[in-house]
Amino acid sequence: MKHLYSGNSRFIWHGLVWSIYLVPIANWLFNLLHWQAAALALAGHVLPIMLLIYFNLYQLLPKYLIHENRTTAYIVRIVPFLLLVSAFVTFWQIWSISNYTFSENSVAVLFIKWGKSLVALTVMVALTSGLKLGKQWWLQRKRLKNIELEKAKAEVKFLRAQLNPHFLFNTLNNLYALALQQSAKTPDMILKLAGLMEYIMYSSQQESVSLEKEISFLENYIALEKLRLPVDSKIRFNIQGKINGQGIAPLLFLPFVENGFKHGFTGNRAGNYLKIDIRVQAKNLEFSMENKLRTNLKNGSGIGLENSTNRLKLMYPEKHHLNINQEKETYRVELKLELR
């Protein structure tokens, strides 16, 4: 809209509107009178109306309605101008166009003409005022929307920045545990971690990544986590549906999966399990995760889940549904969202 109503285009739009109003009047006057008299009559009719319209649009409306919302003060000031200008236009019309001679009905005729002129002028002022107020409302709404959008972008950027240290902190804890055990898996884990960190650093700068790459990242992350767990650990990662160029916000699932490993494989490992399912149907995705719960989680569980919840609200407003269900020994996450 900005390019349609800014700079020189403003004059073009105003000129077009006034032309639509003036051409029929000018055509009538120049057919009725000599061109000099017609030009004089047209000027006396149009110029006062234009002055009133623009005085109202750029002085009275902004001062009393747009900025201060003083309706009574606005009405008190606009009414005298309406009466004065309509009276001037009426007398100018009689003087310049009509061969008017005073008679006993002159006063009544004058008041009728003045009343018609007043009504017409009031309608013009009301219409132009409505357009002005509508434009201001639209611009204000657009400004507020832009402010909200910039705020959301800043929050998303902040949340993305939290992903790297949070992920690295959790993985370094796992590395530390393996190093204490002098495990032969440690070098392989470091290598996989380097690949995952490279993806995180790259993807976190983007609004959207391919779903295929995001799933591949999860597969690599799960493989990394398996290095620290017994070979017989019950871990299932199942993908259903056709993945064909869909996009998704990066690293949405990572905090949930991290949480599943963190709390699903602690303490006594008997009966521990982790099930992750992703179902894709066109532009709709369903993510579900269930794990054995060994510890009682309060308020979700830490910065990771809070991060994901906030990112979903900001990046998928009204386009996602998240349900986290915690029972005595089971923790389940269900997420449905509309892919990009």
Side-chain angles (χ1 to χ4, degrees):
M1 176 62 70
K2 184 177 180 181
H3 68 282
L4 292 176
Y5 202 79
S6 60
N8 293 331
S9 62
R10 180 193 301 267
F11 296 101
I12 295 175
W13 282 104
H14 282 230
L16 180 62
V17 172
W18 281 114
S19 297
I20 294 172
Y21 173 72
L22 291 177
V23 167
I25 298 175
N27 183 62
W28 174 66
L29 286 174
F30 280 94
N31 286 329
L32 180 67
L33 305 172
H34 184 269
W35 72 268
Q36 290 178 326
L40 184 64
L42 184 64
H45 175 82
V46 173
L47 289 179
I49 294 176
M50 292 182 70
L51 288 174
L52 176 60
I53 294 293
Y54 287 113
F55 179 68
N56 176 60
L57 292 179
Y58 294 103
Q59 292 294 326
L60 296 181
L61 275 179
K63 184 175 181 180
Y64 296 103
L65 286 186
I66 295 175
H67 298 312
E68 298 184 11
N69 196 26
R70 296 167 58 192
T71 305
T72 302
Y74 170 76
I75 294 174
V76 167
R77 284 159 177 79
I78 191 64
V79 168
F81 284 106
L82 286 170
L83 294 172
L84 181 63
V85 173
S86 60
F88 179 86
V89 169
T90 300
F91 283 102
W92 186 269
Q93 178 184 1
I94 291 173
W95 177 78
S96 62
I97 301 175
S98 305
N99 294 321
Y100 185 77
T101 56
F102 189 81
S103 67
E104 59 182 9
N105 296 323
S106 297
V107 175
V109 171
L110 282 174
F111 272 101
I112 292 172
K113 288 182 177 290
W114 185 19
K116 291 180 179 179
S117 179
L118 178 61
V119 170
L121 189 58
T122 302
V123 170
M124 291 180 66
V125 169
L127 286 175
T128 53
S129 297
L131 290 173
K132 177 75 171 182
L133 293 173
K135 178 191 171 186
Q136 290 298 318
W137 173 83
W138 182 85
L139 290 175
Q140 180 67 13
R141 186 181 178 189
K142 185 179 180 181
R143 280 193 291 267
L144 291 175
K145 191 173 182 180
N146 287 338
I147 290 172
E148 292 176 358
L149 181 60
E150 291 301 318
K151 182 181 177 182
K153 286 181 178 179
E155 290 181 10
V156 169
K157 191 173 182 180
F158 173 72
L159 293 172
R160 285 175 181 166
Q162 291 179 318
L163 285 171
N164 292 359
H166 181 264
F167 169 77
L168 185 59
F169 176 78
N170 286 345
T171 309
L172 286 176
N173 278 340
N174 295 335
L175 277 173
Y176 177 71
L178 290 176
L180 288 178
Q181 300 169 14
Q182 297 183 344
S183 172
K185 299 178 181 178
T186 304
D188 192 22
M189 192 172 188
I190 293 173
L191 187 62
K192 287 185 179 296
L193 174 61
L196 294 176
M197 286 302 298
E198 182 180 6
Y199 177 80
I200 289 178
M201 292 177 65
Y202 169 74
S203 67
S204 64
Q205 303 302 317
Q206 302 181 55
E207 293 290 333
S208 179
V209 296
S210 73
L211 180 59
E212 184 178 7
K213 288 183 178 180
E214 187 69 9
I215 290 177
S216 177
F217 167 79
L218 281 182
E219 291 174 338
N220 292 331
Y221 175 76
I222 291 170
L224 175 65
E225 286 284 2
K226 283 182 177 180
L227 290 175
R228 68 178 179 87
L229 297 173
V231 178
D232 60 349
S233 297
K234 296 179 181 179
I235 300 172
R236 185 189 77 188
F237 185 37
N238 183 44
I239 308 295
Q240 298 178 9
K242 188 175 181 180
I243 300 173
N244 185 23
Q246 300 98 325
I248 191 170
L251 309 174
L252 277 182
F253 308 128
L254 177 60
F256 300 117
V257 178
E258 278 187 309
N259 198 66
F261 277 105
K262 180 179 179 182
H263 297 283
F265 293 92
T266 57
N268 180 12
R269 290 191 172 93
N272 287 0
Y273 68 91
L274 176 64
K275 300 176 183 178
I276 302 171
D277 293 288
I278 293 179
R279 291 174 290 277
V280 181
Q281 186 175 5
K283 288 292 185 178
N284 297 308
L285 180 143
E286 295 182 11
F287 168 87
S288 64
M289 188 196 75
E290 182 180 314
N291 60 271
K292 185 76 171 181
L293 186 61
R294 291 295 184 185
T295 56
N296 184 35
L297 306 185
K298 297 180 180 179
N299 299 324
S301 181
I303 191 174
L305 292 183
E306 182 180 355
N307 184 307
S308 282
T309 301
N310 290 336
R311 289 183 69 213
L312 283 166
K313 291 178 181 178
L314 292 169
M315 304 187 78
Y316 292 91
E318 300 181 0
K319 293 184 178 182
H320 80 280
H321 176 74
L322 175 64
N323 181 46
I324 299 177
N325 184 33
Q326 177 182 332
E327 297 179 357
K328 185 177 180 180
E329 293 186 350
T330 304
Y331 190 83
R332 184 171 180 83
V333 177
E334 293 180 341
L335 171 63
K336 298 180 181 180
L337 58 82
E338 182 179 323
L339 295 169
R340 299 174 178 177

